[in-house]
Structures are given as C-alpha cells and as structure tokens.
Amino acid sequence: METFSGEGYGIGRIKSEHSDNNYSYVVWCTKTSDCIVIDPNDPVPVLNYVRDRGLSVKYVIDTHCHPDHILGNDPVIKVTLGKILVHPLGFGLVSPRSATVKDGEAVKFGEQEIRVSYAPGHTPEHILLLMDGEAFTGDTLFLSGVGNLKHGGVAEDLFETIGTKVSALPDGTRVWPGHDYAEANLRFAVDVEPGNKDARKKLADVTKLAKKGKDPEPTTIGEEKKYNPFLRYGSPEIEKELAKKNPEWKGGSPFAVFSELRRLRDGWK
Ligand SMILES: [Zn+2]
C-alpha cells in the first residue's frame, strides 16, 4: 500500500493480494480525519490502513457493483458504521445499508468533497468520482486501457463516456483506476500503434518498475491521451494497423476504431 497527498487530503492506494490486481482507495480530509473508501476489495488491509491513521469512515463508495469492487463493503461498514453509496442503477446489487448518489452530486467528508459523474459503459451503474485534480475511474479508464464489456457492458455507452466525460477532464488530472493492468495494456498499445514512442517509453518504465516489485505511479489524463489507444481512436496509424490485422474490418468512424480495439483487446494476451 502506498500513500499520496493532495491539498488538504491524502490518498491511500491499496492493492489486494489474491485478486485481479484490484486497487481499493482510502481518501481522507487531513484536517478532520474523516474519510471515504472507494471500491473495497480485501477489507483487511483497508481496515488496517484506516485504523493505523486514526481515520473515521463516513462512506464506502462503489464505482460500480461487480463483485470484486464490492467485496469489502459489508465488513468495512460493519466495523466503521458508515454508509454504502452507489448509483441508483446499482441499488439492490449491494447490501441494504446503502444509499444512492446521482450524476452531479457531491459527497462531503470533513472539509473535502468528491463529485459523482455518471459514466455508463463498463456497466450501466458505473460512476467516476472526481476531486479537483483527481479522478477515481473504477473500471472505466485504466493506465493505457478501458474496461471490458463482458459483464453487462455496452460499447456505445463506453465510447460516449470516454469521448465526452473522460477526455474532457483537465490534462493534469491524476487517474486512479480499479485495477493495475498497465503492462498488458501498454504491450497492446504498442502492438496497435507501433510508431508511438510515448507508449514504448511508458512500457519500458512500467516493466522496469514491475521487475522491482513496484506499481506504476498514477498517470494523468494528459499522459493517457499520448499512449492509451482507447483515447486515440483518431490516430491514422491505429486505423491502419487494425485494417492490417483484420482485412474484413470496414472501419470508417471513430466508434468503429474504438469497438474494434475493444474486441481485439478482449482476445489479446
Ligand atoms: Zn468491473
């Protein structure tokens, strides 16, 4: 687990063992020690983190309701007496001690607040959680990737969310995804856009860190725009590579590129 800081708040990033490289986050107000927990996977390290810093959990917020993102909800809530917040479309998918948060709502913890931005695509109930300079993106945006569509996802919705909500965030916004898939995602990025020097450099950096057992530092929206193929559906090189890989593919629109990238990534090792 690692700790990062912002102005008036701290961020704990906790990677669960025995998971699909899941990240859970603890975000707290440094003045009052009130905190929120985002997507608790393994509750034990989350509760240890909270206890070690003397934090008080006000809310657990789930970016979406896939089992690995809500796994720690009940144990965390039981111990801390907070509340679980989900998008209305996720109500009923989590335990009864929950309430709903909608697009545009802000959740206060101490003197800090986090804003909800509705982001369907990976699942219908997916939300982004935003602070100035920070975006907790769940399974919508990863380092050099986006969420899959295998369990309730809709390609058109994800394309819309990426194109209008994610791409519109300021370039300096740090990205806090729900999983670490960085290495595989960057190998895919280099495969579909071999001329992208930023993707190659980032892959080399991430591989070097991984060899030392370290996770990548959080990236920014501006960095993602340089090498994340799913934010680069306008790249002529990507379109050319996709046509080479699948001669039957017709292309012809940014959405066609986006959905072909998603299809290829699903079957890509
Ligand atoms: Zn998911």
Side-chain angles (χ1 to χ4, degrees):
M1 65 195 68
E2 295 151 289
T3 299
F4 302 83
S5 60
E7 213 163 298
Y9 57 90
I11 297 174
R13 181 172 77 170
I14 298 158
K15 197 181 205 173
S16 307
E17 282 179 50
H18 318 298
S19 76
D20 186 15
N21 280 349
N22 278 78
Y23 283 130
S24 308
Y25 296 98
V26 176
V27 189
W28 73 95
C29 170
T30 47
K31 211 153 183 195
T32 66
S33 295
D34 288 339
C35 79
I36 54 171
V37 176
I38 299 172
D39 290 353
N41 179 270
D42 182 350
V44 175
V46 169
L47 286 168
N48 285 343
Y49 192 94
V50 165
R51 188 202 54 216
D52 290 350
R53 283 159 186 80
L55 305 177
S56 162
V57 178
K58 296 297 163 198
Y59 302 101
V60 165
I61 314 180
D62 298 321
T63 59
H64 64 297
C65 300
H66 277 159
D68 55 330
H69 293 255
I70 65 172
L71 189 65
N73 276 5
D74 291 323
V76 170
I77 284 308
K78 217 168 144 187
V79 172
T80 62
L81 304 176
K83 224 177 196 179
I84 301 165
L85 303 180
V86 289
H87 185 268
L89 292 175
F91 195 66
L93 300 176
V94 294
S95 86
R97 281 194 64 166
S98 59
T100 59
V101 279
K102 288 196 286 283
D103 187 48
E105 267 183 58
V107 178
K108 287 197 186 326
F109 54 104
E111 295 181 3
Q112 299 294 321
E113 64 174 37
I114 198 156
R115 300 181 302 279
V116 174
S117 177
Y118 182 47
H122 174 68
T123 64
E125 79 284 7
H126 204 298
I127 53 176
L128 308 173
L129 295 166
L130 307 174
M131 296 170 74
D132 287 344
E134 321 287 356
F136 296 87
T137 56
D139 287 1
T140 292
L141 181 73
F142 302 122
L143 199 165
S144 191
V146 296
N148 66 44
L149 304 166
K150 292 175 185 171
H151 307 284
V154 176
E156 286 81 358
D157 291 348
L158 187 61
F159 179 65
E160 176 85 10
T161 287
I162 294 294
T164 59
K165 296 216 156 168
V166 171
S167 298
L169 292 169
D171 278 353
T173 308
R174 289 195 287 189
V175 177
W176 305 94
H179 298 264
D180 172 22
Y181 299 145
E183 239 185 304
N185 281 347
L186 284 161
R187 281 194 286 111
F188 178 74
V190 168
D191 192 59
V192 294
E193 197 177 15
N196 187 327
K197 289 198 180 78
D198 293 305
R200 286 182 183 278
K201 184 177 179 310
K202 189 70 185 173
L203 176 59
D205 292 349
V206 163
T207 310
K208 213 164 128 190
L209 281 171
K211 277 192 185 132
K212 292 185 201 157
K214 287 189 177 155
D215 279 19
E217 288 287 303
T219 58
T220 63
I221 293 292
E223 287 168 336
E224 292 298 329
K225 283 179 179 169
K226 290 184 186 165
Y227 48 68
N228 187 330
F230 294 92
L231 298 182
R232 299 179 55 75
Y233 39 76
S235 153
E237 191 190 4
I238 292 182
E239 193 160 1
K240 221 173 77 196
E241 282 299 315
L242 295 184
K244 226 159 59 182
K245 287 179 192 300
N246 179 6
E248 277 163 38
W249 179 66
K250 297 280 182 289
S253 73
F255 175 67
V257 173
F258 184 88
S259 50
E260 180 68 357
L261 282 169
R262 190 57 265 173
R263 191 188 68 78
L264 280 178
R265 179 66 181 86
D266 283 349
W268 198 84
K269 299 257 185 293

